[in-house]
Amino acid sequence: SVQCHNEFHEWSVALAAAESVLLYGLGSKRKTLTFFGKYLSREGDIVRLDGYNPDVNLSQFFNLLRLSFGGSNLGDGTFESYSLKKQSTLLGNLFAMERSLPLFILINNIDGLGLQSHLAQEALANLKTCSKRSNGSFMIRIVATVDNVNSALTLWSPLVEHDFNWAWRKVSTYEQYFEDIKCWQEKENPTKTKKSVRVRSSCVAVDKVLAALAPRHAHVLQVLAKLQLKSSSSEVTISEWKDACKKKMLPYNDQQIRALMNEYIDHMLIRLTIDDEGYERVTIPHSRKQVKEILKFKRNTS
């Protein structure tokens, strides 16, 4: 949004003051992150890390940084065998000694499945910390987005959170997550048939969105999935949905359900229709197989 663009200077100052910037709020923040990256490119180099990609490999990412920014001899050929903590220490020290301009790492969805481990978060924070120069400036600066603030708070120990030194900035774009999911869907193995790739991508995409939802919100959708699988028409009335949620001790009053429905519709998780008698019906507009995947979904707590 234009308002966010007006805040870019303030965010840049926060980065220069040893803070990391964390963007949170409703909707995809990919475009905002991209535009901010263009703004920062006047000050240094930009690299991007996509937490939406379930196959993201932080060790490979660190090795790419090593090869791209003058550290080809770092580690005497054994760099990739080191722990993430040691890799990040070596890289951070290298940037502190040899860089004159900062490197900005833009992380979309730092709470994504590919980056959720405590080891990954510790390594990223350590990478920044070890890039500190004698004058107090950091040569590696981190800007990240987070979709689920509550789950994100469990990612960091007090020490790791201190090392990141987050400057929280609310950015509610209300934009859908098409581009976030599309970016790594297109990297699927091209040797697979188009049909199998499409089915697998769609299933994983739904998992990605579910993982970004608050746990109770995901459970409410799973209640709908269970009802839909039992329904002969694959459609469920809102009253049936609310009654089932009430039995599960989940949000069930009309105001709560309406708010959740808007969130689900934004993510293309449900579709709302009105039957011939004027009753509202809701359905998950995916194949039966995918609805079963929603029902089986379990949050990764590792």
Side-chain angles (χ1 to χ4, degrees):
S1 67
V2 175
Q3 181 180 359
C4 289
H5 289 207
N6 293 336
E7 296 176 12
F8 284 175
H9 175 70
E10 187 269 330
W11 297 354
S12 174
V13 171
L15 290 169
E19 293 181 300
S20 301
V21 173
L22 188 65
L23 308 180
Y24 72 99
L26 298 176
S28 170
K29 291 159 281 294
R30 174 178 287 274
K31 288 182 181 178
T32 301
L33 193 63
T34 298
F35 287 131
F36 186 40
K38 291 179 180 179
Y39 180 91
L40 292 173
S41 65
R42 302 177 299 179
E43 304 175 24
D45 293 312
I46 306 294
V47 295
R48 294 175 174 82
L49 186 59
D50 196 346
Y52 273 98
N53 183 350
D55 300 319
V56 65
N57 185 311
L58 202 54
S59 181
Q60 291 180 0
F61 176 72
F62 286 163
N63 193 45
L64 179 62
L65 293 183
R66 176 181 73 91
L67 297 175
S68 300
F69 295 98
S72 57
N73 295 324
L74 202 63
D76 298 324
T78 59
F79 181 84
E80 293 178 80
S81 67
Y82 294 152
S83 67
L84 285 177
K85 181 74 174 290
K86 186 170 183 179
Q87 287 179 355
S88 63
T89 298
L90 290 172
L91 272 176
N93 291 338
L94 173 72
F95 276 74
M97 291 185 295
E98 299 189 5
R99 293 281 295 184
S100 59
L101 295 175
L103 172 71
F104 297 97
I105 300 179
L106 311 182
I107 307 174
N108 190 35
N109 193 222
I110 196 171
D111 56 328
L113 293 180
L115 297 173
Q116 277 184 353
S117 75
H118 293 297
L119 288 177
Q121 295 293 325
E122 179 187 34
L124 286 167
N126 186 62
L127 179 66
K128 174 210 167 184
T129 301
C130 291
S131 72
K132 186 176 182 179
R133 302 184 71 182
S134 58
N135 64 3
S137 63
F138 289 85
M139 288 297 98
I140 292 179
R141 303 174 187 179
I142 295 176
V143 185
T145 72
V146 62
D147 286 324
N148 189 333
V149 173
N150 292 327
S151 67
L153 291 173
T154 67
L155 289 176
W156 309 302
S157 67
L159 178 59
V160 170
E161 187 170 8
H162 174 269
D163 287 344
F164 273 125
N165 192 20
W166 293 117
W168 293 69
R169 297 294 182 266
K170 187 173 183 179
V171 178
S172 290
T173 66
Y174 303 101
E175 293 180 0
Q176 297 180 355
Y177 288 82
F178 292 142
E179 293 301 318
D180 303 74
I181 295 170
K182 177 183 176 183
C183 283
W184 56 263
Q185 277 186 6
E186 292 175 345
K187 297 174 184 177
E188 294 286 337
N189 189 339
T191 61
K192 296 180 181 180
T193 65
K194 291 183 179 180
K195 181 177 180 180
S196 65
V197 171
R198 185 165 56 249
V199 169
R200 181 180 183 276
S201 297
S202 186
C203 287
V204 177
V206 169
D207 274 1
K208 292 280 111 182
V209 176
L210 285 172
L213 296 175
R216 285 168 66 83
H217 295 188
H219 292 159
V220 171
L221 186 69
Q222 288 177 313
V223 170
L224 176 60
K226 187 173 183 179
L227 291 172
Q228 180 167 320
L229 290 171
K230 291 181 178 180
S231 172
S232 58
S233 65
S234 295
E235 292 186 335
V236 178
T237 65
I238 293 180
S239 61
E240 289 174 328
W241 190 14
K242 288 196 295 185
D243 289 344
C245 287
K246 184 176 181 179
K247 292 178 182 178
K248 293 283 188 179
M249 304 289 288
L250 292 168
Y252 66 87
N253 68 42
D254 192 66
Q255 184 178 2
Q256 291 171 318
I257 287 292
R258 294 289 174 183
L260 289 178
M261 284 171 57
N262 289 334
E263 182 177 7
Y264 298 148
I265 290 171
D266 286 344
H267 293 307
M268 298 187 71
L269 291 173
I270 67 169
R271 182 174 61 218
L272 183 66
T273 59
I274 300 177
D275 64 20
D276 294 337
E277 298 179 359
Y279 291 105
E280 290 180 307
R281 293 182 175 273
V282 65
T283 184
I284 299 172
H286 297 286
S287 68
R288 187 175 180 83
K289 178 180 179 181
Q290 290 168 275
V291 175
K292 289 181 178 179
E293 291 292 329
I294 292 174
L295 190 59
K296 292 189 297 183
F297 171 79
K298 290 184 179 180
R299 193 173 301 274
N300 184 356
T301 58
S302 61

CSV table of all heavy atoms in Angstrom, one decimal, residues 133-165:
chain,number,residue,atom,x,y,z
A,133,ARG,N,30.2,-5.1,12.9
A,133,ARG,CA,31.6,-4.5,12.7
A,133,ARG,C,32.0,-3.7,14.0
A,133,ARG,O,31.2,-3.5,14.9
A,133,ARG,CB,31.5,-3.5,11.5
A,133,ARG,CG,31.1,-4.2,10.2
A,133,ARG,CD,31.2,-3.2,9.1
A,133,ARG,NE,32.6,-2.9,8.7
A,133,ARG,CZ,32.9,-2.1,7.8
A,133,ARG,NH1,32.0,-1.5,7.1
A,133,ARG,NH2,34.2,-1.9,7.5
A,134,SER,N,33.2,-3.3,14.0
A,134,SER,CA,33.8,-2.6,15.2
A,134,SER,C,33.1,-1.3,15.5
A,134,SER,O,33.0,-0.9,16.6
A,134,SER,CB,35.3,-2.4,15.0
A,134,SER,OG,35.5,-1.6,13.8
A,135,ASN,N,32.5,-0.7,14.4
A,135,ASN,CA,31.7,0.5,14.7
A,135,ASN,C,30.3,0.3,15.1
A,135,ASN,O,29.5,1.3,15.3
A,135,ASN,CB,31.8,1.4,13.4
A,135,ASN,CG,31.0,0.7,12.2
A,135,ASN,OD1,30.5,-0.4,12.4
A,135,ASN,ND2,31.1,1.3,11.0
A,136,GLY,N,29.9,-0.9,15.3
A,136,GLY,CA,28.6,-1.2,15.8
A,136,GLY,C,27.5,-1.5,14.8
A,136,GLY,O,26.4,-1.9,15.1
A,137,SER,N,27.9,-1.3,13.5
A,137,SER,CA,26.9,-1.6,12.5
A,137,SER,C,26.9,-3.0,12.1
A,137,SER,O,27.9,-3.7,12.2
A,137,SER,CB,27.2,-0.7,11.2
A,137,SER,OG,28.5,-1.0,10.7
A,138,PHE,N,25.7,-3.5,11.6
A,138,PHE,CA,25.6,-4.9,11.1
A,138,PHE,C,25.6,-5.0,9.6
A,138,PHE,O,24.9,-4.2,9.0
A,138,PHE,CB,24.3,-5.5,11.7
A,138,PHE,CG,24.3,-5.8,13.2
A,138,PHE,CD1,24.0,-4.8,14.0
A,138,PHE,CD2,24.7,-7.0,13.7
A,138,PHE,CE1,24.0,-5.0,15.4
A,138,PHE,CE2,24.7,-7.2,15.0
A,138,PHE,CZ,24.4,-6.2,15.9
A,139,MET,N,26.4,-5.8,9.1
A,139,MET,CA,26.5,-6.0,7.6
A,139,MET,C,25.5,-6.9,7.1
A,139,MET,O,25.3,-7.0,5.9
A,139,MET,CB,27.9,-6.5,7.2
A,139,MET,CG,29.0,-5.4,7.4
A,139,MET,SD,28.8,-3.9,6.3
A,139,MET,CE,28.0,-2.8,7.5
A,140,ILE,N,24.8,-7.7,7.9
A,140,ILE,CA,23.7,-8.5,7.5
A,140,ILE,C,22.5,-8.0,8.3
A,140,ILE,O,22.5,-8.0,9.5
A,140,ILE,CB,23.9,-10.0,7.7
A,140,ILE,CG1,25.0,-10.5,6.8
A,140,ILE,CG2,22.6,-10.8,7.5
A,140,ILE,CD1,25.4,-12.0,7.0
A,141,ARG,N,21.4,-7.6,7.5
A,141,ARG,CA,20.2,-7.1,8.1
A,141,ARG,C,19.0,-7.8,7.6
A,141,ARG,O,18.9,-8.2,6.4
A,141,ARG,CB,20.1,-5.6,7.8
A,141,ARG,CG,21.4,-4.8,8.2
A,141,ARG,CD,21.4,-3.4,7.8
A,141,ARG,NE,22.7,-2.7,8.1
A,141,ARG,CZ,23.0,-1.5,7.9
A,141,ARG,NH1,22.1,-0.7,7.3
A,141,ARG,NH2,24.2,-1.0,8.2
A,142,ILE,N,18.1,-8.1,8.5
A,142,ILE,CA,17.0,-9.1,8.2
A,142,ILE,C,15.7,-8.4,8.3
A,142,ILE,O,15.3,-7.6,9.2
A,142,ILE,CB,17.0,-10.2,9.2
A,142,ILE,CG1,18.3,-11.1,9.0
A,142,ILE,CG2,15.8,-11.1,9.0
A,142,ILE,CD1,18.5,-12.2,10.0
A,143,VAL,N,14.9,-8.6,7.2
A,143,VAL,CA,13.5,-8.1,7.1
A,143,VAL,C,12.7,-9.4,6.9
A,143,VAL,O,13.0,-10.2,6.0
A,143,VAL,CB,13.3,-7.1,6.0
A,143,VAL,CG1,11.8,-6.6,6.0
A,143,VAL,CG2,14.3,-6.0,6.0
A,144,ALA,N,11.6,-9.6,7.7
A,144,ALA,CA,10.9,-10.8,7.6
A,144,ALA,C,9.4,-10.5,7.7
A,144,ALA,O,9.0,-9.5,8.2
A,144,ALA,CB,11.3,-11.8,8.6
A,145,THR,N,8.6,-11.5,7.2
A,145,THR,CA,7.1,-11.4,7.4
A,145,THR,C,6.7,-12.6,8.2
A,145,THR,O,7.3,-13.6,8.2
A,145,THR,CB,6.3,-11.4,6.0
A,145,THR,OG1,6.4,-12.7,5.5
A,145,THR,CG2,6.9,-10.4,5.1
A,146,VAL,N,5.6,-12.4,8.9
A,146,VAL,CA,5.0,-13.5,9.7
A,146,VAL,C,3.5,-13.5,9.5
A,146,VAL,O,2.9,-12.4,9.4
A,146,VAL,CB,5.4,-13.4,11.2
A,146,VAL,CG1,4.8,-12.1,11.8
A,146,VAL,CG2,5.0,-14.6,12.0
A,147,ASP,N,2.9,-14.7,9.3
A,147,ASP,CA,1.5,-14.8,9.1
A,147,ASP,C,0.7,-15.1,10.4
A,147,ASP,O,-0.4,-14.6,10.6
A,147,ASP,CB,1.2,-15.9,8.1
A,147,ASP,CG,1.5,-15.4,6.7
A,147,ASP,OD1,1.4,-14.3,6.4
A,147,ASP,OD2,2.0,-16.3,5.9
A,148,ASN,N,1.3,-15.8,11.3
A,148,ASN,CA,0.6,-16.2,12.5
A,148,ASN,C,1.5,-15.7,13.7
A,148,ASN,O,2.4,-16.3,14.1
A,148,ASN,CB,0.4,-17.7,12.6
A,148,ASN,CG,-0.4,-18.1,13.8
A,148,ASN,OD1,-0.5,-17.4,14.8
A,148,ASN,ND2,-1.1,-19.3,13.6
A,149,VAL,N,1.1,-14.6,14.3
A,149,VAL,CA,1.9,-14.0,15.3
A,149,VAL,C,2.0,-14.9,16.5
A,149,VAL,O,3.0,-15.0,17.1
A,149,VAL,CB,1.2,-12.6,15.7
A,149,VAL,CG1,1.9,-12.0,17.0
A,149,VAL,CG2,1.3,-11.6,14.6
A,150,ASN,N,0.9,-15.5,16.9
A,150,ASN,CA,0.9,-16.4,18.1
A,150,ASN,C,1.9,-17.6,17.9
A,150,ASN,O,2.6,-17.8,18.9
A,150,ASN,CB,-0.5,-17.0,18.3
A,150,ASN,CG,-1.5,-15.9,18.8
A,150,ASN,OD1,-1.1,-14.9,19.4
A,150,ASN,ND2,-2.8,-16.0,18.4
A,151,SER,N,1.9,-18.2,16.8
A,151,SER,CA,2.8,-19.3,16.6
A,151,SER,C,4.2,-18.8,16.5
A,151,SER,O,5.2,-19.5,16.9
A,151,SER,CB,2.4,-20.2,15.4
A,151,SER,OG,2.6,-19.4,14.2
A,152,ALA,N,4.4,-17.6,15.9
A,152,ALA,CA,5.7,-17.1,15.7
A,152,ALA,C,6.4,-16.8,17.1
A,152,ALA,O,7.6,-17.0,17.2
A,152,ALA,CB,5.7,-15.8,14.9
A,153,LEU,N,5.6,-16.5,18.0
A,153,LEU,CA,6.2,-16.2,19.4
A,153,LEU,C,6.8,-17.4,20.0
A,153,LEU,O,7.7,-17.3,20.9
A,153,LEU,CB,5.1,-15.6,20.3
A,153,LEU,CG,4.6,-14.2,19.9
A,153,LEU,CD1,3.5,-13.8,20.8
A,153,LEU,CD2,5.8,-13.2,20.0
A,154,THR,N,6.4,-18.6,19.6
A,154,THR,CA,7.0,-19.8,20.1
A,154,THR,C,8.3,-20.2,19.4
A,154,THR,O,8.9,-21.2,19.8
A,154,THR,CB,6.0,-21.0,20.0
A,154,THR,OG1,5.7,-21.3,18.6
A,154,THR,CG2,4.7,-20.6,20.7
A,155,LEU,N,8.6,-19.5,18.3
A,155,LEU,CA,9.8,-19.9,17.5
A,155,LEU,C,11.1,-19.5,18.2
A,155,LEU,O,12.1,-20.2,18.0
A,155,LEU,CB,9.8,-19.1,16.2
A,155,LEU,CG,8.7,-19.6,15.1
A,155,LEU,CD1,8.8,-18.6,13.9
A,155,LEU,CD2,8.9,-21.0,14.7
A,156,TRP,N,11.1,-18.5,19.0
A,156,TRP,CA,12.3,-17.9,19.5
A,156,TRP,C,12.5,-18.1,21.0
A,156,TRP,O,11.6,-17.7,21.8
A,156,TRP,CB,12.4,-16.4,19.1
A,156,TRP,CG,12.1,-16.2,17.7
A,156,TRP,CD1,12.8,-16.7,16.7
A,156,TRP,CD2,11.1,-15.4,17.1
A,156,TRP,NE1,12.3,-16.3,15.5
A,156,TRP,CE2,11.2,-15.5,15.7
A,156,TRP,CE3,10.1,-14.6,17.7
A,156,TRP,CZ2,10.4,-14.8,14.9
A,156,TRP,CZ3,9.3,-13.9,16.8
A,156,TRP,CH2,9.4,-14.0,15.4
A,157,SER,N,13.6,-18.5,21.4
A,157,SER,CA,14.0,-18.4,22.8
A,157,SER,C,14.3,-17.0,23.2
A,157,SER,O,14.5,-16.1,22.2
A,157,SER,CB,15.2,-19.3,23.1
A,157,SER,OG,16.4,-18.7,22.4
A,158,PRO,N,14.3,-16.6,24.4
A,158,PRO,CA,14.6,-15.2,24.8
A,158,PRO,C,15.9,-14.7,24.2
A,158,PRO,O,16.0,-13.6,23.7
A,158,PRO,CB,14.7,-15.2,26.3
A,158,PRO,CG,13.8,-16.3,26.7
A,158,PRO,CD,13.9,-17.3,25.6
A,159,LEU,N,16.9,-15.6,24.1
A,159,LEU,CA,18.2,-15.2,23.6
A,159,LEU,C,18.1,-14.9,22.1
A,159,LEU,O,18.7,-13.9,21.5
A,159,LEU,CB,19.3,-16.3,23.9
A,159,LEU,CG,20.7,-16.0,23.3
A,159,LEU,CD1,21.3,-14.7,23.8
A,159,LEU,CD2,21.6,-17.2,23.6
A,160,VAL,N,17.5,-15.8,21.3
A,160,VAL,CA,17.3,-15.7,19.9
A,160,VAL,C,16.5,-14.5,19.6
A,160,VAL,O,16.9,-13.7,18.6
A,160,VAL,CB,16.7,-17.0,19.3
A,160,VAL,CG1,16.3,-16.7,17.8
A,160,VAL,CG2,17.7,-18.1,19.4
A,161,GLU,N,15.4,-14.2,20.3
A,161,GLU,CA,14.6,-13.0,20.1
A,161,GLU,C,15.4,-11.8,20.3
A,161,GLU,O,15.3,-10.8,19.6
A,161,GLU,CB,13.4,-13.1,21.0
A,161,GLU,CG,12.4,-12.0,20.6
A,161,GLU,CD,11.1,-12.1,21.4
A,161,GLU,OE1,11.0,-13.0,22.2
A,161,GLU,OE2,10.1,-11.4,21.0
A,162,HIS,N,16.3,-11.8,21.3
A,162,HIS,CA,17.2,-10.7,21.6
A,162,HIS,C,18.1,-10.4,20.5
A,162,HIS,O,18.4,-9.3,20.1
A,162,HIS,CB,17.9,-10.9,22.9
A,162,HIS,CG,19.0,-9.9,23.3
A,162,HIS,ND1,20.3,-10.0,22.8
A,162,HIS,CD2,18.9,-8.7,23.9
A,162,HIS,CE1,21.0,-8.9,23.3
A,162,HIS,NE2,20.1,-8.2,23.9
A,163,ASP,N,18.7,-11.5,19.9
A,163,ASP,CA,19.6,-11.4,18.8
A,163,ASP,C,19.0,-10.8,17.6
A,163,ASP,O,19.5,-10.0,16.9
A,163,ASP,CB,20.3,-12.7,18.5
A,163,ASP,CG,21.3,-13.2,19.5
A,163,ASP,OD1,21.7,-12.3,20.3
A,163,ASP,OD2,21.6,-14.4,19.6
A,164,PHE,N,17.7,-11.2,17.3
A,164,PHE,CA,17.0,-10.7,16.2
A,164,PHE,C,16.7,-9.2,16.4
A,164,PHE,O,16.8,-8.4,15.5
A,164,PHE,CB,15.7,-11.4,15.9
A,164,PHE,CG,15.8,-12.6,15.0
A,164,PHE,CD1,15.4,-13.9,15.4
A,164,PHE,CD2,16.3,-12.5,13.7
A,164,PHE,CE1,15.4,-15.0,14.6
A,164,PHE,CE2,16.4,-13.6,12.9
A,164,PHE,CZ,16.0,-14.9,13.4
A,165,ASN,N,16.3,-8.9,17.7
A,165,ASN,CA,16.0,-7.5,18.0
A,165,ASN,C,14.9,-6.9,17.1
A,165,ASN,O,15.1,-5.9,16.4
A,165,ASN,CB,17.2,-6.6,18.0
A,165,ASN,CG,17.0,-5.3,18.6
A,165,ASN,OD1,16.0,-5.1,19.4
A,165,ASN,ND2,17.8,-4.3,18.3
